[in-house]
Amino acid sequence: MGRKVTLAVSTLNQWALDFEGNLARILQSIQAAKDAGATYRSGPELEICGYNCEDHFLESDTLLHSWELLLELLISPICKDIIVDVGMPVMHKNATYNCRVIFLNRKLLLIRPKLLMCDTASYRETRWFSAWRKLQETEDYYLPRMIQTYTGQSVVAFGDGVISTKDTCIGFEICEELWNPVSSHIPLSLDGVEIVANGSGSYMELRKAYTTVELVKSATYKAGGCYLFNNLRGCDGQRMYFNGCSCIALNGEVIARSLQFSLQEVEVVVATIDLEDIRSYRNQVRSRCTLSGSHKAYPRINVDFSLSETGPWGSVAPSYNPITWIYHPPEEEIAMGPACWLWDYLRRSGQGGYFLPLSGGVDSSAVACIVHSMCRMVVSACAAGDTQVLADVRKMVCDAEYVPRQPQELCGRLLFTCYMGTQNSSVETRQRAKTLAAQIGSYHTDISIDGAVSACLSIFSLVTGMKPQFAVHGGSARESLAMQNIQARLRMVLSYL
């Protein structure tokens, strides 16, 4: 029996409720995994419908369309002879769960619901989903009729179970379960599960990549085994940016990884592992073996399929080599993370660029530099042959033949900056704005808004009989604040024109 298996993790830039686009990206990732010789493909959290559907998760249409997309995957020839693991919402007994759905050759194998919800910071999962609390138990889930028609199945196992193939055993975690003190990968490993797949929707925070990678490494260092961490990438319609970092770890070492910041919509990373490395690693930890002998067993779904028997990959492919993860410093994370978010927002909103009131101060200057960082990444992606990025650029600039060559050139077509000065503006801020615009290449203008300020003050004086003044001219602190706000708010209003 072959011992070597090739596994794939997927990083996808999905879009909330873009079922057609999400399907295309999932199929592309499955094809890429098969082309690399993988017999198991895992993916990120809620990849079928998109993570940030918010209150649309409460609508039955979202659940229906998710099943329709799953049906498209089931009947697609691309999904033949590979175990596929996708994320989608599923309603069971009138409660909606955040689930992994695993299938092989038009047959559903298991629906595995999320055990622990995340409500930290920007997460609000308990608003839409229930946590599955029947640990290490499964029950029958009655499939929709359209699924029954194509699979010939009326029920499938639903719950905290594992997949047992002819050569190994696969278990599951979903995002928060990795971060929780009582993580599922520990009892899974004690029950002989050798591969743990995690579909996540983890968004960017400074230095969070380091924490995530250390959690993945420690999961396999302490318990042994292979851990497949899949994460979303990009802005899927909300304020959050999912920062990729999908990876494969084996026995405490990362052996393959995807990029943290990238404009690439679909990135698949594969690794070939030797199952005997897991078995020998675990067998050396005698205290673990003692616990394993008395541990409660998970429900197993037996599958007549071997991960190591498709083609020559399972027997002759080279095994893994540990890699060193090079982390971005915080300055690079600040420059690249928001830049990727701005790119996704721009291309999916259908607009032709950004307008920025450039005051010469630190706030607007920082935003201008981030847009320039976006242009640098776009130019690099086009130079690397990313056809999707090039198509998006051409759509924005309304030029079917355009190819960006330099970041400054592209910035001149996508970023429009304007210095909105008044008689109170300084020469220094005006010059700083002009200099920065020239450096990054933005299309820059310089206008005076004194007429608009005077008009507002005239209306105020007509209504109240008062004329506010800056403190330096004898006005009160309240008047001075009002005078500053008039200029700031007028700049905002004019920017929308």
Side-chain angles (χ1 to χ4, degrees):
M1 181 177 67
R3 298 177 302 172
K4 293 185 178 181
V5 299
T6 301
L7 311 168
V9 294
S10 306
T11 305
L12 303 183
N13 190 328
Q14 300 296 69
W15 194 358
L17 301 178
D18 177 23
F19 291 98
E20 183 177 349
N22 292 348
L23 172 62
R25 286 181 284 271
I26 293 171
L27 286 173
Q28 183 181 340
S29 70
I30 297 171
Q31 185 64 63
K34 290 184 68 176
D35 290 344
T39 49
Y40 179 83
R41 177 270 182 198
S42 54
E45 188 173 8
L46 295 170
E47 59 188 302
I48 280 183
C49 58
Y51 184 87
N52 279 311
C53 295
E54 298 197 335
D55 282 0
H56 290 290
F57 283 124
L58 305 177
E59 299 172 358
S60 59
D61 278 359
T62 303
L63 304 175
L64 172 63
H65 296 324
S66 296
W67 279 110
E68 290 173 340
L69 191 149
L70 179 65
L71 179 59
E72 293 291 333
L73 292 173
L74 284 168
I75 64 179
S76 172
I78 293 175
C79 300
K80 184 180 180 182
D81 295 330
I82 181 172
I83 296 180
V84 178
D85 166 15
V86 294
M88 62 178 277
V90 176
M91 179 175 285
H92 179 55
K93 296 183 177 178
N94 300 329
T96 303
Y97 295 90
N98 177 347
C99 296
R100 306 303 303 173
V101 179
I102 303 92
F103 64 90
L104 168 67
N105 292 337
R106 297 196 177 191
K107 297 290 183 182
L108 293 180
L109 305 178
L110 172 69
I111 300 177
R112 201 284 197 173
K114 193 171 184 176
L115 308 183
L116 297 166
M117 298 295 108
C118 183
D119 287 319
T120 307
S122 296
Y123 290 102
R124 295 188 297 162
E125 291 182 349
T126 55
R127 177 178 174 88
W128 308 295
F129 300 111
S130 300
W132 180 258
R133 300 313 301 152
K134 295 181 180 179
L135 303 184
Q136 296 175 259
E137 294 183 23
T138 62
E139 56 191 42
D140 286 342
Y141 177 83
Y142 291 87
L143 294 167
R145 282 177 291 180
M146 61 179 171
I147 302 295
Q148 294 182 29
T149 300
Y150 282 91
T151 65
Q153 300 169 275
S154 58
V155 297
V156 67
F158 183 102
D160 189 17
V162 298
I163 302 293
S164 182
T165 65
K166 294 165 67 175
D167 51 359
T168 188
C169 189
I170 307 168
F172 307 92
E173 285 189 327
I174 303 177
C175 200
E176 180 68 9
E177 296 169 36
L178 171 64
W179 299 74
N180 192 270
V182 188
S183 294
S184 301
H185 60 260
I186 299 298
L188 285 170
S189 69
L190 292 175
D191 192 36
V193 172
E194 296 175 331
I195 300 168
V196 177
N198 184 319
S200 286
S202 180
Y203 61 77
M204 176 195 167
E205 294 176 357
L206 287 181
R207 300 184 178 92
K208 187 178 181 181
Y210 175 84
T211 304
T212 304
V213 173
E214 288 303 306
L215 283 171
V216 172
K217 289 169 63 178
S218 65
T220 61
Y221 178 80
K222 180 163 54 175
C226 181
Y227 202 95
L228 310 179
F229 179 78
N230 305 262
N231 195 21
L232 294 162
R233 169 183 289 154
C235 159
D236 74 344
Q238 252 293 353
R239 298 171 297 163
M240 299 184 293
Y241 175 77
F242 299 102
N243 66 331
C245 291
S246 300
C247 60
I248 301 175
L250 179 67
N251 297 340
E253 299 283 355
V254 174
I255 60 175
R257 59 159 292 188
S258 69
L259 297 174
Q260 181 176 3
F261 302 114
S262 173
L263 306 184
Q264 191 176 351
E265 285 197 324
V266 178
E267 184 179 6
V268 176
V269 174
V270 301
T272 298
I273 65 168
D274 193 329
L275 296 174
E276 290 300 319
D277 289 336
I278 298 173
R279 294 158 189 167
S280 60
Y281 182 93
R282 287 179 172 176
N283 196 39
Q284 296 176 45
V285 185
R286 302 312 303 163
S287 60
R288 178 215 161 269
C289 296
T290 301
L291 291 174
S292 178
S294 59
H295 195 265
K296 180 182 176 182
Y298 277 80
R300 296 201 175 204
I301 290 84
N302 295 310
V303 182
D304 186 19
F305 184 78
S306 175
L307 296 185
S308 58
E309 291 181 354
T310 300
W313 298 89
S315 57
V316 301
S319 296
Y320 76 96
N321 286 309
I323 63 174
T324 300
W325 194 296
I326 306 299
Y327 296 96
H328 292 287
E331 295 81 2
E332 288 185 0
E333 289 190 327
I334 292 170
M336 300 175 72
C340 292
W341 187 94
L342 286 172
W343 172 249
D344 277 344
Y345 189 88
L346 181 61
R347 69 193 182 95
R348 286 174 169 167
S349 66
Q351 300 304 304
Y354 286 110
F355 178 87
L356 175 66
L358 188 59
S359 68
V362 64
D363 295 333
S364 61
S365 297
V367 173
C369 290
I370 290 173
V371 176
H372 179 69
S373 176
M374 178 195 79
C375 293
R376 291 175 63 91
M377 297 181 74
V378 170
V379 171
S380 297
C382 291
D386 193 320
T387 56
Q388 182 61 54
V389 173
L390 181 59
D392 289 332
V393 171
R394 288 173 171 174
K395 181 180 179 181
M396 291 175 193
V397 301
C398 300
D399 185 347
E401 303 298 325
Y402 176 68
V403 179
R405 303 296 183 186
Q406 296 294 330
Q408 289 81 1
E409 166 211 335
L410 179 60
C411 199
R413 303 187 71 161
L414 295 184
L415 178 60
F416 305 84
T417 55
C418 180
Y419 184 83
M420 299 181 179
T422 68
Q423 61 185 359
N424 303 302
S425 301
S426 68
V427 175
E428 289 80 4
T429 57
R430 176 178 272 106
Q431 186 58 42
R432 284 201 296 267
K434 182 179 179 180
T435 301
L436 178 60
Q439 290 174 340
I440 65 176
S442 67
Y443 184 91
H444 187 67
T445 58
D446 187 328
I447 66 172
S448 172
I449 62 170
D450 282 325
V453 173
S454 298
C456 286
L457 291 175
S458 297
I459 294 173
F460 180 82
S461 299
L462 181 65
V463 174
T464 64
M466 299 174 57
K467 186 174 182 180
Q469 301 284 341
F470 281 104
V472 70
H473 297 143
S476 65
R478 182 176 296 176
E479 290 178 61
S480 184
L481 179 61
M483 289 292 291
Q484 296 175 57
N485 280 335
I486 287 173
Q487 296 176 86
R489 300 293 80 78
L490 280 173
R491 290 187 178 104
M492 178 188 70
V493 172
L494 291 172
S495 296
Y496 281 99
L497 298 178

